[in-house]
């Protein structure tokens, strides 16, 4: 049975710093979800068809108290920098990170933050400067990267990002990856915005891109968290690992065996936001390496009733686990990545 005392650490919890909110809400979009809900901003723009939620620290704290969450690590969510001019991302990233540090300093037991970077595809030097500032001076808990940057298909294994990964690897950084919309933002159906289907696939795409380009293997000191139980990755990992070595060989790329690929894919960390069901968790806990499954909620971008549904699912699933196993998913595994919360 799971422990009655939860004290979860939520590694997938979003916020809307004033600088980010002001940069995104002023871009009206013809499509938004939950149009009748009081919990969303009606004119917020996301090319993936989602919405910006109402947010404040008090809204987060109320959700935390109701969900057995002791600590959250804030991150900026999609669309991130995609709705700003390229130059604007430099200014907004700095303001967001200083805001995150302020919240952390005011309540370090309950709040942490992942740093936001300027667009690393168009402004790599500014991104490197922000890594140094946010990790070395602001002491962020890690860095948030989006699955893709630029106007094309520059996923995170792209060679342009090697200096970014070098800087993160040198600092042994925790890197939280959040999916972004695909480069093609034409929705198949207005009722199927990007978070429903595309985000899980985008997570899988950027993870496999990191593996086949050897960007992951070349930066072993980075601890990388994939959201949403890894999206579609655990489900298709063996399929990919069985075929990609043949494809790489045919393209005269550096060889990589099926066993190597699977080991690298299993080495990611996985949060269970929107993926903590009794259909997904048995696969994820069998696939990921021991100690690599973390609690996440995706609040407030996931509607409250959805976050509650999956959190309650996890609570029920914990009844099949030992106390130690439940503790590790909810808190213990995160403490190994973020030891400063040990006495929180």
């Amino acid at each position: 049975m799971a422990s009655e005392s939860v004290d979860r650490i939520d590694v997938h919890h979003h916020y809307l710093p004033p600088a980010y909110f002001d940069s995104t809400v002023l871009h009206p979009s013809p499509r938004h979800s939950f149009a009748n809900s009081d919990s969303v901003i009606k004119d917020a723009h996301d090319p993936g068809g989602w919405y910006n939620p109402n947010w404040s620290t008090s809204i987060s704290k109320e959700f935390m108290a109701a969900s057995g969450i002791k600590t959250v690590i804030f991150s900026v969510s999609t669309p991130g920098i995609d709705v700003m001019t390229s130059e604007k991302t430099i200014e907004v990233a700095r303001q967001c990170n200083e805001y995150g540090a302020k919240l952390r300093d005011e309540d370090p037991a309950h709040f942490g933050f992942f740093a936001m970077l300027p667009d690393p595809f168009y402004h790599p030097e500014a991104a490197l400067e922000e890594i140094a500032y946010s990790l070395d001076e602001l002491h962020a808990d890690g860095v948030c990267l989006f699955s893709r940057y630029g106007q094309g298909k520059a996923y995170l294994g792209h060679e342009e990002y090697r200096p970014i990964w070098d800087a993160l690897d040198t600092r042994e950084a925790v890197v939280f990856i959040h999916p972004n919309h695909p480069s093609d933002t034409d929705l198949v159906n207005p009722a199927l915005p990007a978070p429903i289907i595309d985000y899980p696939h985008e997570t899988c795409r950027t993870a496999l891109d990191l593996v086949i380009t050897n960007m992951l293997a070349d930066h072993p000191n980075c601890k990388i968290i994939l959201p949403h139980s890894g999206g579609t990755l655990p489900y298709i990992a063996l399929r990919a690992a069985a075929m990609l070595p043949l494809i790489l060989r045919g393209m005269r790329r550096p060889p990589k065996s099926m066993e190597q690929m699977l080991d690298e894919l299993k080495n990611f960390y996985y949060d269970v936001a929107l993926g903590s069901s009794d259909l997904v968790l048995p696969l994820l806990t069998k696939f990921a390496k021991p100690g690599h499954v973390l609690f996440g909620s995706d609040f407030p971008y996931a509607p409250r009733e959805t976050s509650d549904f999956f959190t309650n699912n996890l609570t029920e699933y914990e009844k099949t686990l030992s106390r130690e196993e439940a503790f590790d998913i909810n808190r213990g595994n995160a403490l190994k990545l973020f030891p400063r919360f040990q006495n929180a």
Side-chain angles (χ1 to χ4, degrees), residues 1-6 8 285 291 314-333:
M1 296 287 289
S3 172
E4 292 83 359
S5 178
V6 183
R8 290 173 166 132
T285 53
L314 176 61
T315 300
E316 284 300 306
Y317 185 75
E318 288 169 10
K319 295 177 181 178
T320 69
L321 304 176
S322 68
R323 287 179 180 271
E324 181 181 2
E325 289 169 331
F327 174 81
D328 283 346
I329 292 174
N330 285 310
R331 185 173 179 85
N333 295 336

Side-chain angles (χ1 to χ4, degrees), residues 137-154:
E137 298 187 38
L138 296 181
H139 305 293
D141 294 291
V143 167
C144 176
L145 295 179
F146 293 106
S147 54
R148 181 191 60 80
Y149 291 94
Q151 298 303 309
K153 297 179 175 61

